[in-house]
Amino acid sequence: MVLASLGVSAAAIVVLVGLSAFFSSSETAIFTLPEEWFSDPSAAADGRLSLLRELRSDPHRLLVTILVGNNVVNVAIASLTTLLATEYLPAGTAVTVATVVASAIVLVFGEIVPKSYGLGNAPSWALRVARPLSIVERALFPVVIVFDAVTRALNAAIGGEDVEQAHVEE
C-alpha cells in the first residue's frame, strides 16, 4: 500500500513540477517580448498572435493568472513531498527534509531552468502557451478576479505603480 502511494505521489509531483515549469516559462516568455514584436510581419502571420495580444492587453490579470496557477502547484508539490517524507521519517525531520527537497526541485525544475528556457525562446514559446494560458485564465476566473481586484486595490492604497504595464510598454 505504501509503495503504491509512493508511486502515485511521485507521479503527481512530476506532473506538478511540469505545470510549475509551464507557468514560470510562460511568464518570462510573454513579459520579455518587446511591444514592437507584436507588430512584426513574421509574427502577424501566426494565428495565435491575436490570443497572445488579448492576454497581454491586461498584464496585471495575466500575471495574477500565472501566479495563482504557479503558487497552487508549488504548494501542492510541497504538501505531497511532506506527506511522502512523513511516511518514512519522524515528523520534525520529515518537514525539514521535505522543505529542502521541495525547494530544490521547484527552484531548479519549476523556476530557474524554465525561466531560462522562456527567455531564450520567448517568441515561439509565448505563442505556444497562449491558448493553454487562456484556458487556465477562464478556469480560474473567479479566483483570478478576486486576486486581481485585491492586488490592484492594495497597489493603489500604498501608492504602487502599475509595474506590469510599465514593463510591457518598454
Side-chain angles (χ1 to χ4, degrees):
M1 183 69 134
V2 172
L3 196 52
S5 174
L6 174 64
V8 170
S9 295
I13 290 170
V14 168
V15 169
L16 291 167
V17 169
L19 289 170
S20 181
F22 164 78
F23 287 117
S24 295
S25 61
S26 299
E27 176 186 358
T28 300
I30 293 171
F31 284 106
T32 58
L33 287 173
E35 194 61 38
E36 55 272 5
W37 178 84
F38 286 85
S39 56
D40 182 341
S42 64
D46 194 312
R48 300 171 292 182
L49 183 61
S50 63
L51 185 55
L52 185 56
R53 276 189 187 126
E54 183 182 322
L55 285 168
R56 201 156 121 164
S57 69
D58 189 344
H60 187 266
R61 180 165 297 156
L62 175 59
L63 185 61
V64 169
T65 300
I66 291 169
L67 292 176
V68 166
N70 208 14
N71 277 280
V72 167
V73 298
N74 289 345
V75 168
I77 290 166
S79 298
L80 280 173
T81 305
T82 303
L83 184 66
L84 279 176
T86 58
E87 291 283 331
Y88 302 99
L89 301 168
T93 304
V95 170
T96 302
V97 167
T99 300
V100 170
V101 169
S103 294
I105 289 170
V106 168
L107 279 170
V108 172
F109 300 107
E111 294 290 337
I112 298 168
V113 171
K115 285 184 185 261
S116 294
Y117 179 85
L119 186 60
N121 300 281
S124 62
W125 189 242
L127 289 168
R128 192 173 302 149
V129 299
R131 185 162 313 289
L133 276 177
S134 179
I135 292 167
V136 169
E137 187 176 63
R138 285 193 304 272
L140 296 176
F141 184 74
V143 176
V144 168
I145 290 298
V146 169
F147 280 106
D148 186 35
V150 168
T151 56
R152 284 180 198 269
L154 285 171
N155 274 340
I158 64 172
E161 61 180 280
D162 191 355
V163 175
E164 300 89 359
Q165 193 64 44
H167 180 73
V168 167
E169 291 175 356
E170 287 181 345

